[in-house]
Amino acid sequence: MIRLANLFDAAAHGTLRYKVQGSFDEIEDLFVKMSSLDRYAAPTLRDSPLHHQQRPWSPTPVKPVEIVGAVWDFIQQRCSKELKRIQGEDVLIHKPHDKMVVTFQSNRKDTVRVHFARERFVTFYQRLATDLKVKTYSLDPRYYKSLQVQFPELLIEGIPSKDKITVTGRYMHIVLLEDFLLHSSSFAVTSQRPLTPQRVSARASGTTHNKQSDEEESCPICLNTIKENKKKTLKCKHSFCRGCLEEAFKIKPVCPTCGVVYGELKGTQPKDGTMTTTKERSSLSGYEKYGTIVIQYHIPSGIQKEEHPNPGQPYQGASRTAYLPDSSEGRNILALLKRAFDQRLTFTIGRSSTTGMENMVTWNDIHHKTSRNGGTSCYGYPDPDYLSRLQDELKVKGIY
């Protein structure tokens, strides 16, 4: 990397271009220091014609970034502090009312700062978007506010003139709410029973104890007192009515309270797909000591079954390529990914987040690196935390 002092001296003597190399954090630190120098530079240099007319580089126009509306809403309402940090004092990140993009502008007409803010936003957006899930539920509108109070980590929005809510949040939190809505008759649209904080708190807080009585224990599924001779306690220490738990396990073999998997999950990935792997000597950025594992997925087109969103309708298949480092950790994760594929958990059928088309084979919350480089904004390497995040995603599905 060019030393900051040399860069500043070179700018004073009119040199026009520099090649800056280093990690993202190092380059960020360099730009921050340059901003300080520019703001507090001696007047003879800052106000000179050379300083204003001859820049060290000539940046290209800043392109807008395409976004998903639900993710942008989540950022505005749940991550506003992070968004303000990325903008800083000089850059405005804005979404036009009629477009699904965000634009970047500088109050000081400083396109270098705008470029840099754009790169930081892309990195932040990519990392957040890969952790989020969006679901729509039919629900009586009177329960919106109560749900939001009990699940503050989720963004719960109502659809005008419809008895529906759209929920945006991280995968485990969505699963928590989804299980609660499936098994709690308190939230059924046809139910006349009022929602009370007490009915929700036992489910949301992960405890099975009802505060009505220190000796009584309520079932988080039916919300009734558990009879001792019909009680079933799981290894995670959560207890339920035996019949309620059996019915819940027919839907998904996980603890309805904490999500711990019991048994083997089966997904809705079409059955005729293939997963093949090869190895190459070239390395991935951040894993220069190792070769590369190349994973090839192929899911052919077909007709949707009863387990899919639109049974009887055709769906569009997909072919995907993903990359792992050929290290011991990478090989261990490859074995886990093979188990996930065999359990039909890697793909599903739904709406494509990139094209918006329905009835498409899409990823199913197990995020893959589909590019060798480019960093997180391009679904590629380097990404130091990727392998650990991937293991967490697989663990949620009972694969570890």
Side-chain angles (χ1 to χ4, degrees):
M1 178 186 290
I2 297 175
R3 294 174 60 87
L4 182 61
N6 293 341
L7 181 63
F8 192 67
D9 290 342
H13 288 86
T15 306
L16 295 179
R17 292 184 179 274
Y18 297 90
K19 183 177 181 181
V20 182
Q21 296 178 333
S23 69
F24 184 84
D25 290 337
E26 290 171 337
I27 294 175
E28 177 177 7
D29 187 56
L30 175 63
F31 272 97
V32 171
K33 290 179 179 178
M34 286 181 62
S35 299
S36 300
L37 287 172
D38 182 66
R39 183 172 300 177
Y40 300 109
T44 54
L45 174 61
R46 186 180 62 233
D47 300 329
S48 67
L50 177 64
H51 180 70
H52 289 285
Q53 295 176 10
Q54 293 184 329
R55 294 288 184 178
W57 52 78
S58 299
T60 56
V62 181
K63 296 181 180 179
V65 174
E66 294 185 7
I67 57 168
V68 175
V71 178
W72 176 250
D73 291 342
F74 188 88
I75 289 174
Q76 284 191 307
Q77 298 191 38
R78 294 291 180 270
C79 307
S80 57
K81 291 183 179 180
E82 179 65 21
L83 186 62
K84 288 180 180 179
R85 189 187 72 82
I86 293 173
Q87 290 183 134
E89 298 179 357
D90 303 315
V91 178
L92 173 65
I93 300 177
H94 172 68
K95 177 188 176 298
H97 178 68
D98 58 341
K99 298 180 180 179
M100 297 308 295
V101 298
V102 292
T103 59
F104 305 84
Q105 299 174 337
S106 172
N107 299 327
R108 299 175 57 190
K109 308 298 182 184
D110 189 340
T111 53
V112 174
R113 297 173 189 266
V114 181
H115 272 285
F116 185 57
R118 182 186 187 277
E119 291 306 311
R120 294 209 298 179
F121 176 81
V122 168
T123 300
F124 165 68
Y125 179 88
Q126 178 65 49
R127 289 178 176 174
L128 180 65
T130 57
D131 290 337
L132 294 183
K133 186 175 183 179
V134 181
K135 296 280 288 185
T136 300
Y137 301 95
S138 296
L139 191 68
D140 191 315
R142 60 182 168 163
Y143 296 139
Y144 296 170
K145 291 183 179 179
S146 297
L147 267 180
Q148 189 67 81
V149 170
Q150 298 300 326
F151 295 89
E153 67 277 5
L154 300 175
L155 176 59
I156 302 176
E157 300 175 298
I159 300 178
S161 303
K162 295 183 180 179
D163 294 338
K164 292 185 177 181
I165 60 170
T166 298
V167 181
T168 308
R170 290 177 173 81
Y171 179 79
M172 278 301 297
H173 295 147
I174 291 285
V175 170
L176 180 73
L177 177 62
E178 187 175 50
D179 289 345
F180 181 73
L181 294 177
L182 280 172
H183 303 304
S184 174
S185 57
S186 300
F187 282 91
V189 175
T190 58
S191 173
Q192 299 300 316
R193 289 193 295 170
L195 173 69
T196 65
Q198 188 174 28
R199 287 187 179 276
V200 179
S201 60
R203 177 65 183 88
S205 63
T207 177
T208 57
H209 292 285
N210 191 327
K211 294 184 179 180
Q212 289 179 335
S213 171
D214 292 335
E215 297 179 358
E216 291 183 350
E217 188 173 7
S218 62
C219 173
I221 298 175
C222 69
L223 302 178
N224 294 321
T225 301
I226 303 175
K227 296 182 179 180
E228 193 62 33
N229 61 343
K230 295 184 178 180
K231 179 179 178 180
K232 175 63 177 178
T233 301
L234 299 175
K235 292 181 179 179
C236 57
K237 307 302 183 183
H238 295 122
S239 299
F240 309 86
C241 297
R242 188 178 299 276
C244 292
L245 189 62
E246 289 175 355
E247 290 300 315
F249 272 24
K250 289 179 182 179
I251 300 172
K252 186 184 295 184
V254 302
C255 172
T257 297
C258 66
V260 170
V261 178
Y262 294 88
E264 185 176 279
L265 286 177
K266 288 292 184 181
T268 58
Q269 174 182 297
K271 295 182 178 180
D272 298 329
T274 59
M275 173 185 177
T276 59
T277 61
T278 56
K279 294 186 178 182
E280 298 179 355
R281 292 184 178 180
S282 58
S283 61
L284 301 168
S285 182
Y287 295 92
E288 285 76 10
K289 296 181 180 180
Y290 309 100
T292 300
I293 300 172
V294 182
I295 307 172
Q296 298 281 353
Y297 293 109
H298 177 66
I299 309 291
S301 301
I303 302 298
Q304 297 183 51
K305 307 298 183 184
E306 290 297 324
E307 59 198 9
H308 296 138
N310 299 298
Q313 294 187 22
Y315 64 85
Q316 180 66 46
S319 294
R320 299 285 185 268
T321 302
Y323 303 94
L324 287 172
D326 191 12
S327 61
S328 58
E329 186 179 16
R331 290 188 290 272
N332 290 336
I333 290 178
L334 176 63
L336 298 179
L337 289 176
K338 183 64 169 64
R339 284 176 53 195
F341 187 83
D342 292 342
Q343 291 175 217
R344 303 170 60 203
L345 298 170
T346 308
F347 295 93
T348 188
I349 296 176
R351 179 179 180 274
S352 170
S353 61
T354 54
T355 66
M357 296 179 62
E358 301 287 351
N359 303 320
M360 303 287 290
V361 171
T362 65
W363 294 111
N364 188 31
D365 300 312
I366 301 176
H367 298 96
H368 289 61
K369 289 294 185 184
T370 54
S371 177
R372 294 174 178 269
N373 46 47
T376 54
S377 62
C378 297
Y379 300 92
Y381 295 89
D383 186 352
D385 300 325
Y386 169 64
L387 296 184
S388 61
R389 293 201 314 270
L390 180 55
Q391 291 182 75
D392 290 339
E393 293 172 1
L394 291 165
K395 191 173 183 179
V396 168
K397 297 179 182 293
I399 298 176
Y400 49 91

